[in-house]
Structures are given as structure tokens and as C-alpha cells.
Amino acid sequence: MSRPLTIALTKGRILKETLPLLARAGVEPLEDIDSSRKLVFATNYAGLQLVVIRGTDVPTYVRHGAAELGVVGKDILLEHGAEGLYEPLDLGIARCRLMTAGPVGWQGSGARVRVATKFANIARRHFATRGVHADVIKLYGAMELAPLMNLADLIVDIVDTGNTLRANGMEPLDEIACISSRLVVNKAAMRSHHSRIQPLIERLSAVVAES
């Protein structure tokens, strides 16, 4: 008996939107993920298990073959790279925008700007294409606080409704990318387990097409 295929799923909002999609494709965990302390879950789909991890870890698990497939936000792929991965399907879930934002009425004054973000690589590339040198300050949360406390001029962050920005006297500026969750597949696994992986991709594709 060959070992089960593994799909690495991203915790949080993406997980909540992925599980119904998988269910419509005929894949359901055999126990409730929300109420369990487990990290690995058997499913009703023969030879397939799920693992639930941090989004930033999903590409690493898939790249190194610990999981054959994964579901991860496009923001993570843009920030950390997609080497060794195929990206066969945009699942169209957990949609949001990756944007620059700043205090209402902010005006830049020169070719240098201080930017607070957890997306350091994306921010540097974005500003470099505009001929602006970004002094990137890596933060992991509460980005809106950085301009308020004069730590940074602008932020680069995920924007959903924009309510948090408005509540803190900020406004969205430039859209860097439209973000959604993607199915990724280990390139070597796609070759060695093609007959098992391709039907899964086709099932999910059909579900996405119906959505």
C-alpha cells in the first residue's frame, strides 16, 4: 500500500473556505477539524489525508515533498517564491487585495520612503519598479500603527474591507496584486503520482468552475 497523498491546508480564513470546496469535490475529513487538536486528518477519499499548518509553511512542505499538494494564498507565493511548485488552479477563495496604504492625504517627498510590512520582498520590488527606494521595516501585525507612531510613512498589507484603515485615519493607495488562494503541487510528485493527483485537480477544477 503506497503512503497517502497529503494536502497541506492553510489555517484560519483560508481553511474555512477550503473545506466546503473540498467537500463539493468529494473530499471530507473523517473528524471535525475545528474541535480537534490533531494536525493530520484522514479523509473519506481513499489514499488522501489533510494536514493543517501556517500559510507561510505550506509552500515549504509541498516544495520538500512532505505534502504533495497545498492550498495557500497568492501573497505567500509572491513573497516567498514558488520554486519547485506547479500552480494549476486558482481556487477563487479568500479574495482580498495586497495594497500600499498611508495616512489620508499623504504626499511623498522624494525617492525614499519608509514602509512597514510583513511582505518585505514584495514591497521592495513594488517600489523599485517606481524608482523609489523603500526602507522596509518588517512587522508581523497591526501595520496601521506604524504610520500613527511615526515608525513608517506607508504600509504594504492585505486589504479586505478597508475598515481598519479608515478607523486609523488611513486610506488604500496602490493595488499591488489581487490575492486569492491557489492549489499548488510538488513538481516531482506531479510526475510520479500523476494518476492520483490529476483526478483531484480535475474534481476541484469542476467545483471552481461551478462556483
Side-chain angles (χ1 to χ4, degrees):
M1 178 75 178
S2 57
R3 81 174 184 89
L5 293 177
T6 300
I7 305 180
L9 302 181
T10 296
K11 289 179 176 181
R13 175 191 173 189
I14 293 178
L15 178 65
K16 286 181 168 57
E17 296 190 30
T18 302
L19 290 175
L21 203 65
L22 288 173
R24 295 205 300 277
V27 178
E28 297 186 74
L30 295 181
E31 57 189 291
D32 181 40
I33 289 179
D34 286 337
S35 62
S36 175
R37 290 186 173 275
K38 287 184 180 179
L39 298 174
V40 181
F41 298 88
T43 73
N44 65 331
Y45 190 98
L48 182 68
Q49 65 183 9
L50 308 176
V51 59
V52 180
I53 55 180
R54 289 173 61 98
T56 47
D57 291 335
V58 169
T60 304
Y61 271 71
V62 178
R63 184 177 295 118
H64 291 280
E68 287 75 21
L69 305 97
V71 175
V72 64
K74 182 65 175 178
D75 53 319
I76 301 299
L77 298 174
L78 290 171
E79 175 65 15
H80 298 288
E83 183 186 352
L85 306 176
Y86 288 123
E87 190 184 312
L89 189 58
D90 181 349
L91 298 173
I93 57 174
R95 290 186 180 279
C96 53
R97 294 172 297 159
L98 184 62
M99 304 194 71
T100 62
V104 172
W106 182 84
Q107 296 290 327
S109 56
R112 202 173 188 99
V113 66
R114 296 173 303 156
V115 182
T117 186
K118 65 179 178 180
F119 301 106
N121 294 324
I122 293 172
R124 287 191 188 96
R125 288 196 301 267
H126 172 76
F127 286 100
T129 61
R130 284 156 175 74
V132 176
H133 177 82
D135 293 317
V136 175
I137 301 161
K138 188 79 178 270
L139 293 179
Y140 294 91
M143 299 301 161
E144 298 82 7
L145 187 60
L148 285 176
M149 302 301 294
N150 199 33
L151 178 65
D153 304 306
L154 301 175
I155 66 173
V156 169
D157 203 9
I158 294 294
V159 176
D160 188 4
T161 63
N163 290 338
T164 305
L165 288 176
R166 285 189 289 274
N168 288 283
M170 298 181 68
E171 60 185 354
L173 298 171
D174 298 321
E175 181 174 307
I176 298 174
C178 184
I179 302 299
S180 56
S181 296
R182 311 301 170 98
L183 181 71
V184 293
V185 183
N186 175 282
K187 286 186 175 180
M190 190 68 189
R191 292 190 294 272
S192 59
H193 300 292
H194 186 270
S195 63
R196 299 167 69 196
I197 291 174
Q198 188 59 34
L200 266 175
I201 295 174
E202 289 171 1
R203 279 176 175 241
L204 282 167
S205 296
V207 168
V208 170
E210 293 166 1
S211 299

